[in-house]
Amino acid sequence: TQSKMAAVFKTLKVATVQRLSVITLARPERFNAFNFEMYQEVQEALSNAAKDDSIHAALITGEGAYYSSGNDLSMFGSHSPADIAARGRPLLNKFVSSFIEFPKPLIAAVNGPAIGIAVTKLALCDVVYASDSATFHTPFAMLGQTPEGCSSVTFPAIMGSALANEVLLGGRKLDAREAQQSGLVADVFPRDVFAATALKRATALAAAPRQTLQYGKALVRGAARAGLHAANDAECERLAERWQSKDCLEAAQRFLKRK
């Protein structure tokens, strides 16, 4: 498997393996938490993969023990709530849109715990593999926040409304097998062979002709796109309000005190 390095990023590592673009979330010292820069760079990496005709599919995974711990809540310590709402709303909206609009198969390889936006965006990927060490947690309500990443529509569609509400509103954490049973995850591999197995499966998928894969994805995903964009807009509008609310500020302060 030939592997060549692509564009250089600060928060990501991007490499090409055969016909697959491998995007690794690479802030292991922060458990691959999303800051403003990582939101921007993931969009750039997806855009590059979309435009490159030699790339047939993309895979997103995390460096180290975590897939991603979600939003870097230390942002709440260094930015005013109004600033977070002003910057965060369009950035999150564009980030989620880049997943909705990505024209090629998008595979997530969840190598460890995933929290918040790292979980919700999985439903916008076409295939999700999980390590048996992975967990899936969306503690939005406890943080004074509401669902994002189109999860308000994708999670009920995938797992049924009862489980989706426990996950999104009740903050129920799913382990890898539960996530597979819920329909969010396609397959679970043992952690010691996870990276190699997920890469093997992803490169096999990417070996198919590019246009055939793109047309197939367009048929599977096409009808839902308008609804996903509408959900993204509504979620981002509510979150911009929540980020400036007493609920969210108190939760962020509790989090920052724990550190």
Side-chain angles (χ1 to χ4, degrees):
T1 66
Q2 118 277 357
S3 176
K4 63 175 196 256
M5 286 306 294
V8 178
F9 294 102
K10 283 189 184 167
T11 68
L12 309 176
K13 292 178 180 169
V14 180
T16 303
V17 182
Q18 296 171 30
R19 299 286 183 190
L20 185 71
S21 179
V22 180
I23 302 165
T24 303
L25 308 175
R27 296 182 75 214
E29 72 290 348
R30 303 284 306 170
F31 304 111
N32 302 324
F34 277 85
N35 58 5
F36 288 131
E37 193 166 29
M38 189 185 273
Y39 274 113
Q40 197 64 52
E41 290 192 343
V42 169
Q43 288 176 62
E44 286 173 41
L46 288 176
S47 175
N48 293 346
K51 287 186 271 201
D52 185 341
D53 284 351
S54 73
I55 296 294
H56 293 193
L59 177 140
I60 300 179
T61 193
E63 183 179 322
Y66 269 65
Y67 178 67
S68 168
S69 58
N71 273 327
D72 190 337
L73 292 182
S74 67
M75 289 191 292
F76 283 90
S78 52
H79 295 269
S80 73
D83 185 34
I84 283 182
R87 284 184 72 186
R89 178 181 174 176
L91 191 62
L92 179 64
N93 193 286
K94 281 178 66 183
F95 173 82
V96 174
S97 289
S98 71
F99 280 77
I100 298 170
E101 290 296 327
F102 188 70
K104 301 172 183 180
L106 186 55
I107 301 150
V110 185
N111 53 297
I115 301 170
I117 185 69
V119 180
T120 55
K121 72 175 178 58
L122 296 174
L124 299 173
C125 297
D126 302 297
V127 183
V128 182
Y129 298 125
S131 161
D132 58 11
S133 65
T135 54
F136 303 80
H137 193 206
T138 52
F140 297 130
M142 292 300 293
L143 295 170
Q145 299 186 40
T146 44
E148 26 74 332
C150 301
S151 60
S152 62
V153 296
T154 57
F155 277 31
I158 288 168
M159 56 183 76
S161 62
L163 181 57
N165 286 327
E166 263 209 320
V167 168
L168 292 173
L169 305 180
R172 174 174 168 181
K173 186 191 287 190
L174 302 178
D175 65 23
R177 289 291 169 202
E178 288 170 328
Q180 185 182 21
Q181 284 158 3
S182 81
L184 185 64
V185 166
D187 221 337
V188 178
F189 310 130
R191 72 196 74 184
D192 53 339
V193 296
F194 175 72
T197 309
L199 187 65
K200 187 177 174 189
R201 291 275 282 267
T203 51
L205 186 150
R210 177 181 57 81
Q211 281 194 311
T212 301
L213 288 171
Q214 287 191 214
Y215 289 145
K217 171 167 176 166
L219 287 168
V220 172
R221 287 272 178 187
R225 265 172 56 199
L228 292 174
H229 282 300
N232 183 26
D233 290 345
E235 289 169 350
C236 288
E237 184 178 354
R238 174 53 62 200
L239 266 179
E241 179 274 327
R242 288 286 83 199
W243 285 331
Q244 300 174 81
S245 71
K246 187 163 156 276
D247 291 346
C248 189
L249 289 176
E250 287 175 353
Q253 281 160 359
R254 277 197 304 274
F255 171 82
L256 293 168
K257 272 193 200 124
R258 283 203 335 250
K259 312 253 326 152

